Amino acid sequence: MSRAVCVMAVVLGLLGSIGEAAERRWVVTVDNGKPAGELLIRCTAGSECSTRYIFKDNGRGPEISETFRIAADGTFANYEAKGSTTFGSKVDERYSARGNSGRWQSTTEQGSAAQVAGKLYLPLNGTEAVIDRVLALTRDGKSVELLPVGTLSRRTLRTVQVGRGAMQQEVALIAITGLGLTPYFVWASTGAEESFFASIAPGYSATMPQGYEAEAAELGRVQNEAETALLAGMTARLGTPMEGLSVIRNARLFDSENARLREGLFDVHVLRGRVAGIRPAGNSGEHIAALRTLDAGGRVLLPGLFDMHGHVGRWEGGLNLATGVTTVRDLGNDNATLQNIIDETAAGAVFGPRIVPTGFLEGESPYSARNGFVISTLEEAKRAVDWYAAHGYPQIKIYNSFPRQHLRETVAYAHSLGLRVSGHVPAFMRASEVVEAGFDELNHINQMVLNFLVDSQTDTRTLQRFYLPAEKTAGIDFEGPAVREFIELLKRRNVNIDPTLTTFDFLRQRDGEMSQAFAAIAANLPATLQRSFLSGGMEIPNAAKYSRTLADRGSIEVGKLADLVLIDGDPTTDITALRRVALVVTQGRSIEPSAVFKELGIKPFVGEMPRWQSAAGQ
């Protein structure tokens, strides 16, 4: 999900119902109860309202103030928002309707419409006040048309009772579609006047009305069950089990060890989720009794792609698979949530890629990210490493607040158990120091650049870790001795760099400009998502080597996992051909990317698709 829609989805868990009460309050918590923010809403006579929302986690978060008036048709008659986004950029957005027409303007966009009756303006950085309007406008199976573009609809998944005594009421879990690539889940008070009640991000955050905080765990459990049922349906619809022998004929094979295409065409045999054979095209006779065959027609067959820096959730799995990503290295997550996703994926209950987990290790501070384990002592750090090693994690990731006095011994202890060590550079340290302490890998390009911009007083737990690279990178002498010495240190210590360059595209993007990271694919995505993209060369090694999975994936060889991606084009001469994924095979299933894209509201990147042909009599 894009930054603006993500801000909305975070803040869209946060504001509340618009009723007669002079003021209502929601409490925002993360990680099973740690306070992280609040939302206040004040209304007069139900139509003139103001809101105030603040959320801070991991040293960052949005602060939004809104004022608006509700029109007779339930839409916004006028709306204004001011404040700052997660990374501190300015929010200044307004909309007004006069007669039948409306006009909107923000730091990102401006426009107008001649007919706005019954249409809801969707703020780029709005709060749950928007969800209240959606609930009012989509009752009884109706949808609502959005301004500037888009349509929202919703369906009710579950109803439960919350509270006790006079506070007892019924609330409903509602899935709203049209905001992004996946449903957006909210809890609403039921009755004649539906209103926003709560928002739960299972394993991360909860936005609960004051007095109902204790209900968060039960609502999260019910929501998880409902999401599991939806995901199981998606898996059944979009993944075709490949029982028995399957043959992909007439494919050009990519040799990942030598980064080139092999000469000629080949038939690839797939059986029980692995590559069972590779033969020159035409040498797979009828007598082998394949249950199904697919003519690749000279397309390029790649081993499944790797996303080397993800933070997986249950809903982006289909998008990963449709784009050919069959393995994701998760670089930090809630431990219980990630274990559940791994188990659900292995059981076929969740539609997603294979996951290589990384153990998240943070230090206790006011800025702590609350994923994984948060420690204060060396003994706590070692116990956390023990847990990760026992649960099959090949690597740990050290984060911003980790205590520097325990760093070297923790790294050594992880190495003694066979784990790699990666991470951010802890506050008040330089990248060169963590390399010398034994890091195997540095995450994010800004962590390297900061090596030349910080001093012993720079607190990189704050937004300084973004502002300093944005403001001062141009002044670094990249040919000078300091940079050369650092690169030599990285080379001498054999340290890998996980740059996540696309993540930092926002450092150079101005409001109103299309993000360079998404410009090439924006036209294929839902219109509401395209709006968010307007808000303000390196040699890549074999990913399987650095995720410690090279033994069973990363190349097309007999005996390796049949994680295969059929490309409509030649990515060795045109890297953009990787967007044109015609077929994906993984985990014993065949997946048609175009079907997945249509499910997510994305225009497919490939037209005519190759089809499996069943053997006669099957």
Side-chain angles (χ1 to χ4, degrees), residues 70 98 114 127 177 223 253-254 285 446 454 484 543 573 578 603:
I70 303 169
R98 290 189 177 183
T127 67
T177 55
Q223 183 172 323
L253 299 191
F254 180 72
N446 69 320
V454 301
R484 290 181 177 274
T573 59
L578 286 176
K603 179 182 176 182

Side-chain angles (χ1 to χ4, degrees), residues 270-444:
V270 177
L271 181 65
R272 300 186 184 94
R274 292 189 176 269
V275 177
I278 301 174
R279 300 185 180 184
N283 286 351
S284 298
E286 298 297 329
H287 62 281
I288 67 171
L291 292 185
R292 68 190 58 79
T293 62
L294 181 142
D295 186 357
R299 292 179 175 88
V300 173
L301 191 64
L302 302 177
L305 303 178
F306 285 68
D307 181 345
M308 290 297 285
H309 193 123
H311 300 278
V312 300
R314 304 170 87 202
W315 280 96
E316 67 264 27
L319 188 58
N320 274 315
L321 294 180
T323 53
V325 175
T326 59
T327 300
V328 172
R329 189 177 67 152
D330 186 284
L331 262 293
N333 218 312
D334 173 75
N335 289 336
T337 298
L338 186 60
Q339 290 294 305
N340 286 337
I341 293 174
I342 291 172
D343 290 342
E344 290 172 336
T345 302
V350 167
F351 195 53
R354 306 178 197 273
I355 297 169
V356 180
T358 298
F360 193 85
L361 197 51
E362 171 69 304
E364 188 65 68
S365 86
Y367 300 97
S368 299
R370 310 305 297 189
N371 291 329
F373 291 105
V374 181
I375 64 93
S376 297
T377 69
L378 178 60
E379 184 59 30
E380 289 173 341
K382 288 184 175 180
R383 286 202 298 266
V385 174
D386 285 339
W387 190 93
Y388 287 129
H391 285 78
Y393 287 59
Q395 178 170 313
I396 63 169
K397 177 184 179 181
I398 287 172
Y399 210 61
N400 301 320
S401 294
F402 193 87
R404 60 182 301 172
Q405 68 269 25
H406 302 322
L407 183 66
R408 189 176 292 273
E409 287 187 72
T410 301
V411 171
Y413 187 70
H415 284 161
S416 75
L417 297 180
L419 276 65
R420 298 180 76 247
V421 178
S422 72
H424 292 201
V425 177
F428 312 112
M429 297 185 73
R430 295 178 185 270
S432 57
E433 294 177 273
V434 302
V435 170
E436 290 171 347
F439 269 38
D440 302 291
E441 176 181 333
L442 289 171
N443 302 125
H444 305 303

Side-chain angles (χ1 to χ4, degrees), residues 35 53-54 71 85 88 136 149 247 278 287 294 349 357 409 418 421 425 547 588 605:
Y53 166 67
I54 182 170
T85 65
V149 66
V247 178
I278 301 174
H287 62 281
L294 181 142
E409 287 187 72
V421 178
V425 177
S547 58
F605 293 84

Side-chain angles (χ1 to χ4, degrees), residues 67-88:
T67 59
F68 55 87
R69 181 167 58 87
I70 303 169
D73 64 1
T75 63
F76 289 126
N78 56 56
Y79 172 92
E80 183 173 353
K82 291 185 177 294
S84 57
T85 65
T86 296
F87 292 98

Side-chain angles (χ1 to χ4, degrees), residues 146-225:
L146 300 176
L147 295 170
V149 66
T151 302
L152 296 185
S153 59
R154 50 99 165 214
R155 59 173 165 157
T156 300
L157 304 178
R158 299 282 194 280
T159 57
V160 299
Q161 294 288 326
V162 295
R164 295 181 179 180
M167 294 183 66
Q168 187 174 23
Q169 63 172 297
E170 183 182 73
V171 295
L173 175 63
I174 292 174
I176 299 172
T177 55
L179 286 172
L181 299 178
T182 61
Y184 180 70
F185 298 96
V186 296
W187 288 91
S189 299
T190 60
E193 294 290 334
E194 287 182 315
S195 59
F196 170 75
F197 179 78
S199 175
I200 309 286
Y204 175 52
S205 68
T207 302
M208 300 296 299
Q210 193 169 29
Y212 290 89
E213 294 93 328
E215 304 286 347
E218 177 62 11
L219 293 184
R221 184 191 67 78
V222 174
Q223 183 172 323
N224 255 328
E225 288 181 355

